[in-house]
Amino acid sequence: MENVNFKLFLCVVGMVLVLEGLPYFAFPEKIKTLYVKIQEISDTNMRMLGFLAMVIGLLLVFFGTS
């Protein structure tokens, strides 16, 4: 049972890395522009956006495993 959970964990981490790396591979020039624009966003708005992303991610995991 532990081996299956570890394999699932590795698959999930692998998929996250694929999804995270895709924009950098496909649109490197747009990513550079986005980084410049991100510096203009306030820390409060950035934190709220990060919190919202975490909540949505947790909900997806919860509903995906139930």
Side-chain angles (χ1 to χ4, degrees), residues 10-23:
L10 288 179
C11 278
V12 170
V13 170
M15 287 305 300
V16 167
L17 290 173
V18 167
L19 290 175
E20 287 287 331
L22 189 59

Side-chain angles (χ1 to χ4, degrees), residues 33-46:
T33 305
L34 179 64
Y35 280 159
V36 171
K37 290 181 181 180
I38 284 177
Q39 292 178 351
E40 299 171 4
I41 300 173
S42 72
D43 289 348
T44 302
N45 287 342
M46 191 70 87

Side-chain angles (χ1 to χ4, degrees), residues 2-3 8-12 23-28 35 37 40-41 44 46 48 50-57 65:
E2 290 178 25
N3 193 18
L8 178 61
F9 174 75
L10 288 179
C11 278
V12 170
Y24 298 101
F25 176 76
F27 312 106
Y35 280 159
K37 290 181 181 180
E40 299 171 4
I41 300 173
T44 302
M46 191 70 87
M48 291 302 292
F51 181 74
L52 181 63
M54 289 188 302
V55 169
I56 291 171
T65 58

